[in-house]
C-alpha cells in the first residue's frame, strides 16, 4: 500500500513538473518582411524573451501577413488568437482618434523628432489611449519617413498626382491628405498593394524605403519622390486582459525583452531605410526624384487644410507637443 502511495506521489510530481514545463506561447504577428526594422525588432524580441525566460515562454513570430493581415489582426488580438501585434500608427482610427496625430502631413521634421515626441509625456500617454478597448501599448517601434511613388515619369509637385489613384492605409487623415492634392485615395491592406500597383488598380502609394524595397514596389513604379512628408511607425500592442493575467515574473521578463528589442530595432531603422534606398537606386528600375525646397513647399501648402480638419479630434495641445519635438 505504502509503495502504491509512493509511486502515485512520484507520478503526481512528475506530472506537475511536466505541466509547469509547458511554456507560455506568445504569438507575434506582423505584415512586413523580416529584414525591415519591424521584422528585425520582432525577431530580437523573441531572442531576448526566450533567453530571459528559458523554458517559460515561446515566442512565435509570423511576418508578412502570414498569420493575420491588416483588417484581421486587431480582432484576432482582442479574441486572444494572437498576443502581440505592431500595426502602423495609421491603422488605429477605429480605436482612438488621438493617434491620428502621426498621420498629419509635414508635422515631424525627421524620425528623431518623432522619437522625441513618442518619448515625451504626451507621447507616452498615448500608449494608454486604448485601455478602455482592452488594448495595451507596450512601446513604439520605428520604421521611417514616407516617400511617394507613382507609375508616371513626372512626380515633383502636387499637380503631378492630380486624378491619380493612390493606395492608402486605413486612415481618414491619409484620405484627406490625398484628396487635398486632387488625387483619389483607396484604403487597402498592405498585402494587396504590390498586385494593385502591378495591375494598375492604383497608380501610386506612399511608404518607407524599407517597405518599398522589401515588397518590391519599386519594380512596379516608375518614380519615387523623396518627400519625407510623413512617418510610418508602429505601436506594439497586446491584449490587456491577457497581459494582466500573466504571472508577474513573466510579465516583467517580457517587458524587459520588449524594451531591449525596441532599442535594438529603433537603433537600426534609419540604417535599414538608407540601405534600402541605396538598393532601389542600384536596381535602376524606378527613378528616385529628389525635390527642392520650393517643390516641397508646394506639397506642404496643398496639404495644410488637413491639419485644421483633424485638429478637433486630435487636440491642439497634442499637436503643439508634437511640434515642440522638432526643436
Ligand atoms: C502599410 O500598410 O503601408 C505599412 O504600414 C505596413 C507596415 O506595417 O509597415
Amino acid at each position: 500500500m505504502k509503495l502504491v502511495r509512493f509511486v502515485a506521489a512520484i507520478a503526481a510530481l512528475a506530472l506537475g513538473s511536466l505541466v509547469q514545463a509547458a511554456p507560455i506561447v506568445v504569438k507575434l504577428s506582423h505584415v512586413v518582411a523580416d529584414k525591415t526594422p519591424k521584422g528585425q525588432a520582432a525577431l530580437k524580441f523573441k531572442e531576448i524573451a526566450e533567453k530571459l525566460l528559458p523554458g517559460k515562454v515561446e515566442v512565435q513570430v509570423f511576418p508578412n501577413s502570414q498569420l493575420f493581415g491588416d483588417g484581421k489582426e486587431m480582432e484576432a488580438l482582442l479574441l486572444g488568437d494572437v498576443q502581440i501585434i505592431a500595426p502602423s500608427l495609421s491603422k488605429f482610427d477605429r480605436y482612438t482618434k488621438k493617434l491620428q496625430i502621426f498621420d498629419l502631413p509635414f508635422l515631424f521634421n525627421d524620425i528623431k523628432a518623432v522619437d522625441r515626441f513618442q518619448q515625451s509625456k504626451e507621447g507616452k500617454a498615448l500608449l494608454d489611449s486604448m485601455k478602455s478597448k482592452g488594448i495595451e501599448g507596450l512601446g513604439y517601434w520605428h520604421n521611417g519617413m514616407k516617400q511617394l511613388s507613382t507609375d508616371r515619369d513626372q512626380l515633383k509637385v502636387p499637380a503631378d498626382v492630380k486624378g491619380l489613384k493612390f493606395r492608402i492605409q486605413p486612415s481618414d487623415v491619409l484620405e484627406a491628405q490625398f484628396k487635398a492634392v486632387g488625387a483619389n485615395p483607396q484604403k487597402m491592406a498592405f498585402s494587396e498593394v504590390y498586385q494593385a500597383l502591378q495591375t494598375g488598380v492604383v497608380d501610386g502609394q506612399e511608404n518607407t524605403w524599407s517597405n518599398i524595397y522589401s515588397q518590391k514596389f519599386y519594380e512596379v513604379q516608375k518614380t519615387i519622390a523623396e518627400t519625407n512628408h510623413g512617418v510610418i511607425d508602429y505601436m506594439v500592442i497586446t491584449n490587456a486582459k491577457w497581459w494582466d493575467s500573466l504571472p508577474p515574473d513573466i510579465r516583467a521578463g517580457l517587458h524587459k525583452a520588449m524594451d531591449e528589442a525596441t532599442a535594438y530595432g529603433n537603433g537600426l531603422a534609419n540604417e535599414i531605410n538608407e540601405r534600402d534606398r541605396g538598393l532601389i537606386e542600384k536596381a535602376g528600375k524606378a527613378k528616385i526624384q529628389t525635390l527642392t525646397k520650393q517643390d516641397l513647399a508646394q506639397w506642404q501648402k496643398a496639404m495644410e487644410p488637413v491639419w485644421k480638419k483633424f485638429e478637433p479630434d486630435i487636440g491642439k495641445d497634442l499637436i503643439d507637443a508634437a511640434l515642440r519635438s522638432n526643436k
Side-chain angles (χ1 to χ4, degrees):
M1 197 59 191
K2 260 190 188 160
L3 183 69
V4 173
R5 254 190 256 138
F6 177 72
V7 171
I10 295 288
L13 265 178
L15 195 69
S17 66
L18 264 185
V19 169
Q20 255 177 17
I24 294 173
V25 173
V26 181
K27 291 186 183 162
L28 194 170
S29 165
H30 65 83
V31 301
V32 294
D34 279 337
K35 59 189 176 188
T36 60
K38 178 159 62 177
Q40 291 294 297
L43 291 172
K44 194 50 132 185
F45 172 69
K46 171 182 169 64
E47 181 193 314
I48 302 173
E50 291 179 352
K51 195 147 76 190
L52 289 176
L53 300 163
K56 292 186 176 177
V57 298
E58 181 191 336
V59 180
Q60 299 175 353
V61 178
F62 299 91
N64 278 322
S65 310
Q66 266 166 23
L67 189 62
F68 298 108
D70 290 336
K72 289 275 187 302
E73 58 179 9
M74 276 298 222
E75 279 106 281
L77 185 83
L78 293 170
L79 287 170
D81 293 337
V82 62
Q83 283 68 46
I84 299 179
I85 57 175
S88 141
L89 291 163
S90 313
K91 294 175 183 170
F92 288 97
D93 252 10
R94 280 169 47 208
Y95 299 89
T96 171
K97 297 289 175 206
K98 293 282 164 198
L99 290 177
Q100 290 182 324
I101 181 132
F102 288 100
D103 280 343
L104 291 181
F106 295 100
L107 173 61
F108 296 106
N109 287 348
D110 51 29
I111 203 73
K112 284 194 182 127
V114 176
D115 190 80
R116 280 193 290 272
F117 174 63
Q118 289 170 347
Q119 299 316 317
S120 70
K121 176 168 63 65
E122 292 85 356
K124 282 190 177 151
L126 293 176
L127 293 172
D128 292 332
S129 61
M130 294 173 285
K131 273 232 160 115
S132 63
K133 308 265 167 38
I135 297 169
E136 174 133 352
L138 297 176
Y140 292 104
W141 282 356
H142 291 327
N143 186 338
M145 303 306 281
K146 284 185 290 191
Q147 321 303 337
L148 211 57
S149 72
T150 67
D151 59 358
R152 307 294 153 103
D153 289 319
Q154 178 73 17
L155 180 56
K156 226 170 155 25
V157 290
D160 297 331
V161 299
K162 205 167 182 332
L164 298 190
K165 289 178 278 184
F166 278 86
R167 175 270 173 171
I168 55 164
Q169 302 179 73
S171 152
D172 291 347
V173 180
L174 298 180
E175 186 169 57
Q177 171 194 279
F178 277 100
K179 284 189 173 159
V181 289
N184 299 317
Q186 214 167 298
K187 293 177 181 173
M188 189 184 290
F190 186 60
S191 58
E192 292 165 21
V193 183
Y194 179 86
Q195 210 183 356
L197 291 170
Q198 190 186 35
T199 55
V201 168
V202 290
D203 307 297
Q205 62 87 48
E206 54 169 13
N207 233 304
T208 60
W209 293 113
S210 65
N211 280 344
I212 295 172
Y213 180 69
S214 57
Q215 299 298 317
K216 300 190 165 58
F217 297 161
Y218 68 97
E219 290 184 355
V220 284
Q221 293 279 266
K222 278 200 178 140
T223 312
I224 307 169
E226 192 159 28
T227 49
N228 293 309
H229 63 283
V231 62
I232 290 187
D233 259 22
Y234 311 104
M235 190 185 285
V236 190
I237 56 170
T238 187
N239 180 318
K241 219 161 150 191
W242 172 78
W243 187 251
D244 291 341
S245 74
L246 288 171
D249 64 319
I250 305 276
R251 195 164 51 237
L254 290 179
H255 240 310
K256 191 164 166 19
M258 184 54 71
D259 288 347
E260 288 180 22
T262 299
Y264 174 81
N266 286 356
L268 272 184
N270 237 354
E271 204 179 294
I272 293 177
N273 276 296
E274 279 307 307
R275 177 199 69 194
D276 291 350
R277 184 195 186 282
L279 290 169
I280 292 169
E281 200 164 27
K282 198 162 149 220
K285 294 206 165 155
K287 170 182 75 182
I288 296 180
Q289 173 75 66
T290 50
L291 271 57
T292 62
K293 269 199 172 138
Q294 287 77 10
D295 298 332
L296 283 168
Q298 286 199 43
W299 291 96
Q300 189 164 1
K301 189 162 189 320
M303 291 175 174
E304 223 168 58
V306 179
W307 284 42
K308 269 279 158 280
K309 183 167 169 26
F310 289 90
E311 189 186 287
D313 274 345
I314 297 170
K316 186 163 184 326
D317 288 357
L318 200 57
I319 297 177
D320 288 343
L323 283 172
R324 282 197 297 276
S325 67
N326 278 330
K327 287 171 201 133

